[in-house]
Amino acid sequence: RSRTVTAAGRPVELTRREFDIVAFLSKHPGQVFDRDRIHERVGGWENESDSQVVTEHIRRIRKKLAAVDSSQEFVETVWGVGYKLG
């Protein structure tokens, strides 16, 4: 409800779109989603029709989470398939 993400007990500042991706993945633990599915399900990408934008958001999410807690990979890549919350 508060739209906050924490790692190692510390808050992580995410943009609205980054938060939406993390929230979507967290609602489906262990499930792998490709870029197109994340792009489609998260929605609200008004002027961004290329699902490649998801890759860039994932990169930023990883960077922000690693800055707080580098001991684990929060968003995992399943090569050739997509992403899942770790």
Side-chain angles (χ1 to χ4, degrees), residues 65-81:
L65 291 171
V68 174
D69 182 1
S70 62
S71 68
Q72 65 177 325
E73 185 175 355
F74 293 95
V75 179
E76 296 179 26
T77 298
V78 178
W79 292 107
V81 182

Side-chain angles (χ1 to χ4, degrees):
R1 294 187 195 277
S2 64
R3 295 185 64 85
T4 58
V5 171
T6 59
R10 296 172 36 201
V12 179
E13 295 292 325
L14 299 176
T15 66
R16 186 179 113 207
R17 195 62 61 219
E18 292 165 352
F19 178 86
D20 290 345
I21 291 171
V22 171
F24 172 70
L25 293 174
S26 70
K27 289 178 184 174
H28 307 280
Q31 195 170 350
V32 180
F33 293 94
D34 64 22
R35 286 188 321 237
D36 291 330
R37 180 60 54 94
I38 294 170
H39 188 269
E40 172 188 300
R41 295 303 264 312
V42 171
W45 310 84
E46 298 83 21
N47 298 320
E48 302 175 64
S49 60
D50 184 3
S51 63
Q52 184 65 30
V53 73
V54 171
T55 303
E56 182 59 23
H57 284 296
I58 295 289
R59 184 189 67 77
R60 291 179 189 159
I61 291 166
R62 286 178 170 154
K63 183 177 179 180
K64 290 176 180 183
L65 291 171
V68 174
D69 182 1
S70 62
S71 68
Q72 65 177 325
E73 185 175 355
F74 293 95
V75 179
E76 296 179 26
T77 298
V78 178
W79 292 107
V81 182
Y83 303 102
K84 69 177 184 173
L85 208 56

